[in-house]
Amino acid sequence: MMGRTPWRGRLIVIVIISFMAGSMAAPRPAYALFGLDVGPIVAAITTMQGAMNTVITTTRTVLNETLGLINMSLGSGFTQISNYLKAQIGAQEQIADANNMVQARLARDVRNATIRDNHAVNRQDCLNLEGGQSTVVAAHNAMEVAAALDGAKDSRTRAARDTPSWAGAGQASQANNTHHFSKYCDDAEAEAGICSLATSDLKAADQSASSLLTPPVYADQTAIDKANDFETTLIQPVAPAALRGSALTTTEGQQALPGRRSYSAAISLAHKIGDDVLSWHAGTVTLSAAQKAEAQREGITQTDTGSQFEATELEVNRKYSGTDWQADLQAMPSEKSVLVQIALLDAQRNWLLWQQLKLDHSRALAEATRLSIAAEQRRPRASPMPVPSTSNN
């Protein structure tokens, strides 16, 4: 079997070659080769070759057309994708431009609003300015009131002419009693028949601290007199008699003069402290509309005239508990407005500290006076010394 197979292969090759040679020659009748009829074989091969060529041609055509369609479709697709990408880039650019424009306008509007808010004057700014001005004016006028009281009391302390002590201590005591009996007569004095009982608001008012400290503003002249009389009773109800005549010219009188001057200086300082406190409650300024409104909310009798004490208290209370100030503070449009309010509050605190400093100066002098008096009382007293002789030896 293995020997016959190559032979058959060679036979087929020979047949094919013979067929091809015969196809190039003139047709002639069918013939036989080695006893085989090759006509049908050649015909079958020819048919098969034509069919194969047709299939190959058709396949090639289909493949070419398919590849052409694929190429055309892919080209259109790639072109469309490219167009989409180009359009997307353009759209992104337009979106970016629009967003930039919106952001720029927004930033400009925010900047304009900030500039407007930073330059707009808040209602509370005006009210704070009015309140501060009224307080400062009240303080200036209060200083004038205190200076006037100090001048009158210093003359009384020195027992100057036209004061009760000019004529002596007895006259000074009687003048003080007469003034008290005419205004502040109490129950015991009335029962003794010395004077007529005063009304409840005046009875012993020259001995009551509330006469000076309680009213935020003295309502009338009577209230001012009550406060002043209490301060006089507290500091110096009766001034010592004046040193006059031989009391000044003698050796003893000359020795007494330094002590009397020291006494007058100490009493003057004490009166100044008391008069400063009194002047804070004197009616010295017209209250602002906001201060009047705050006084009405607090139940204080609304008056056109206020004091340094009342104006300051109303300003502090208005910002601490006033609904108007709180509402305006919450509605302020920018940080600057709030910072302005904080700065104004700090300025008000500084002003109050300044007033406290001035009072502390007076208190420091009063303490120094007490120290000097204590030192003088502890000083050893000198024994009588002989008068030195001025004759020549």
Side-chain angles (χ1 to χ4, degrees):
M1 293 298 294
M2 295 298 294
R4 295 176 58 186
T5 299
W7 181 87
R8 287 183 179 180
R10 288 194 296 271
L11 179 61
I12 292 172
V13 172
I14 294 171
V15 171
I16 292 172
I17 294 173
S18 299
F19 172 75
M20 293 178 64
S23 63
M24 293 184 293
R28 57 181 176 271
Y31 58 89
L33 181 64
F34 302 104
L36 295 174
D37 187 4
V38 296
I41 296 173
V42 173
I45 292 174
T46 302
T47 302
M48 182 180 63
Q49 184 178 9
M52 291 179 64
N53 290 336
T54 301
V55 170
I56 291 172
T57 301
T58 302
T59 302
R60 183 184 296 112
T61 302
V62 171
L63 288 175
N64 290 335
E65 291 178 353
T66 302
L67 291 174
L69 291 174
I70 291 173
N71 291 334
M72 184 171 56
S73 299
L74 289 175
S76 300
F78 290 147
T79 301
Q80 189 65 32
I81 292 174
S82 178
N83 292 335
Y84 286 157
L85 292 175
K86 292 179 181 178
Q88 184 178 14
I89 293 173
Q92 292 294 335
E93 291 177 347
Q94 293 177 1
I95 293 173
D97 292 341
N99 183 66
N100 291 337
M101 183 178 295
V102 170
Q103 293 298 325
R105 294 190 63 178
L106 177 61
R108 184 192 63 185
D109 293 342
V110 171
R111 182 192 62 186
N112 292 340
T114 302
I115 293 173
R116 179 201 62 198
D117 294 341
N118 287 340
H119 287 80
V121 179
N122 188 272
R123 183 174 74 101
Q124 287 299 326
D125 295 340
C126 299
L127 295 180
N128 291 336
L129 180 60
E130 290 179 359
Q133 288 178 337
S134 66
T135 303
V136 171
V137 171
H140 178 74
N141 294 338
M143 290 175 59
E144 294 183 354
V145 172
L149 293 173
D150 291 341
K153 291 176 182 177
D154 284 347
S155 297
R156 177 177 176 273
T157 298
R158 297 192 309 270
R161 188 181 295 275
D162 298 327
T163 62
S165 296
W166 174 259
Q171 184 179 359
S173 297
Q174 186 59 41
N176 182 274
N177 288 333
T178 301
H179 181 73
H180 169 81
F181 295 151
S182 65
K183 288 187 173 183
Y184 311 112
C185 184
D186 61 15
D187 296 320
E189 295 163 343
E191 289 181 0
I194 299 175
C195 55
S196 298
L197 185 64
T199 58
S200 58
D201 60 323
L202 290 176
K203 185 168 53 178
D206 58 346
Q207 304 161 61
S208 175
S210 62
S211 298
L212 189 150
L213 296 174
T214 299
V217 57
Y218 302 133
D220 49 27
Q221 188 61 44
T222 300
I224 296 175
D225 292 340
K226 285 166 55 177
N228 189 48
D229 291 338
F230 166 77
E231 193 275 341
T232 301
T233 303
L234 177 68
I235 303 299
Q236 187 193 45
V238 177
L243 297 178
R244 301 167 58 191
S246 61
L248 291 174
T249 59
T250 61
T251 302
E252 292 78 4
Q254 292 290 313
Q255 291 177 348
L257 280 176
R260 177 58 186 269
R261 288 194 294 267
S262 177
Y263 167 82
S264 298
I267 295 299
S268 177
L269 175 59
H271 276 309
K272 184 183 184 305
I273 296 174
D275 291 339
D276 282 344
V277 176
L278 186 153
S279 67
W280 270 69
H281 298 261
T284 54
V285 71
T286 300
L287 297 177
S288 66
Q291 291 170 342
K292 291 180 182 179
E294 177 62 27
Q296 189 174 13
R297 282 193 294 267
E298 295 179 17
I300 301 174
T301 302
Q302 186 174 348
T303 59
D304 291 334
T305 302
S307 65
Q308 179 184 0
F309 183 92
E310 184 180 30
T312 305
E313 182 182 41
L314 291 175
E315 276 300 303
V316 173
N317 292 348
R318 184 176 70 84
K319 295 170 186 174
Y320 182 67
S321 62
T323 56
D324 294 342
W325 189 82
Q326 294 289 339
D328 288 345
L329 187 65
Q330 295 294 332
M332 289 178 184
S334 65
E335 294 179 358
K336 180 197 171 186
S337 299
V338 179
L339 292 176
V340 168
Q341 294 301 310
I342 294 175
L344 291 173
L345 289 175
D346 190 58
Q348 185 180 53
R349 179 167 54 250
N350 289 340
W351 185 85
L352 291 173
L353 290 174
W354 171 245
Q355 302 304 314
Q356 181 67 41
L357 177 63
K358 292 193 296 184
L359 181 59
D360 286 343
H361 283 172
S362 298
R363 289 175 175 172
L365 288 175
E367 182 64 24
T369 301
R370 283 194 290 267
L371 290 174
S372 66
I373 293 173
E376 182 66 23
Q377 291 175 346
R378 291 195 302 269
R379 182 175 62 87
R381 298 301 175 182
S383 58
M385 299 291 292
V387 178
S389 175
T390 59
S391 62
N392 294 327
N393 292 329

